[in-house]
Each structure stands twice: as C-alpha cells, then as structure tokens.
Amino acid sequence: MNYWKECLTCALDDENITLSDAQISSISEKLEDAHEGYAVYAGIEAATNGEKSDAELELEELKREIEKRTRWVNNTKPCDVCITTGIVKDSWGKDQTCGACEGAGRV
Ligand SMILES: [Zn+2]
C-alpha cells in the first residue's frame, strides 16, 4: 500500500470518517504533492541545493583573506625602519606612517 494512502486511511479511521477509495487515493496524492513542495516552501531546498549559507560564504571569505595574507607574508620581509608596525615617529615625536613600507609593516 502507498505510504500516503495508508497515513490518510489511519487518520480517517481515528476520526471515524468514511471516504471512498477514490477519494482517499485523490487526497493522498495531493498530500504527497504537498509534501514534495514543502522543501521549497520552507527554504530547505534553497539551503541545500548548491546555494551556500551566509556562514559558509563568510567562512570562504575568511579563508581567502587568510590565504592572501599568508602569501603576502611569505613574499615580503619585515620592514626594518618601523619594525613591522607601519608607524614611525616624526621629528616632533608624533606617529606617522612609515615611508619605507607605506604603513604595511612589510616590504
Ligand atoms: Zn615600515
């Protein structure tokens, strides 16, 4: 027996409702169709069919940024002038951007 038809038959029995076999078949088919559409209605399909969640997108962005920074660190040397801070003191003792590394801290 069809799962949906059996569920509907049990529910109708519990409620003492009598329907014809044709009515039960028709309603059970509609229930099955409704169940198939539920994933779209609830957004489950969109969340699992290739579309990524905000958390997944954020994680990927963070991984890209970490990779980019790692490549930059591996391909540069620490700035000797500012000792990687990107800031040096001017002649009045105030902070200013290091001219040697332009504030990046590495060259
Ligand atoms: Zn510097």
Side-chain angles (χ1 to χ4, degrees):
M1 184 182 242
N2 174 296
Y3 170 78
W4 296 101
K5 199 170 175 180
E6 191 166 332
C7 290
L8 180 59
T9 302
C10 289
L12 293 171
D13 285 347
D14 289 348
E15 299 300 323
N16 293 319
I17 298 171
T18 305
L19 295 178
S20 71
D21 220 37
Q23 287 174 312
I24 292 172
S25 291
S26 175
I27 293 171
S28 64
E29 284 172 16
K30 288 173 178 126
L31 284 174
E32 187 173 357
D33 288 347
H35 174 73
E36 286 170 4
Y38 181 74
V40 174
Y41 165 77
I44 296 167
E45 191 171 344
T48 57
N49 274 4
E51 288 190 28
K52 295 175 179 171
S53 68
D54 288 348
E56 285 173 314
L57 292 172
E58 193 174 347
L59 178 63
E60 285 179 3
E61 178 65 23
L62 286 171
K63 283 180 177 175
R64 276 195 297 274
E65 284 176 22
I66 290 169
E67 248 177 61
K68 185 179 169 188
R69 178 163 174 78
T70 302
R71 270 198 309 277
W72 176 68
V73 167
N74 289 339
N75 292 318
T76 56
K77 292 187 295 186
C79 178
D80 292 334
V81 178
C82 64
I83 314 167
T84 74
T85 61
I87 296 168
V88 291
K89 300 283 183 197
D90 65 13
S91 51
W92 293 280
K94 292 183 176 175
D95 289 346
Q96 70 174 28
T97 302
C98 175
C101 66
E102 296 178 350
R106 299 183 70 85
V107 289

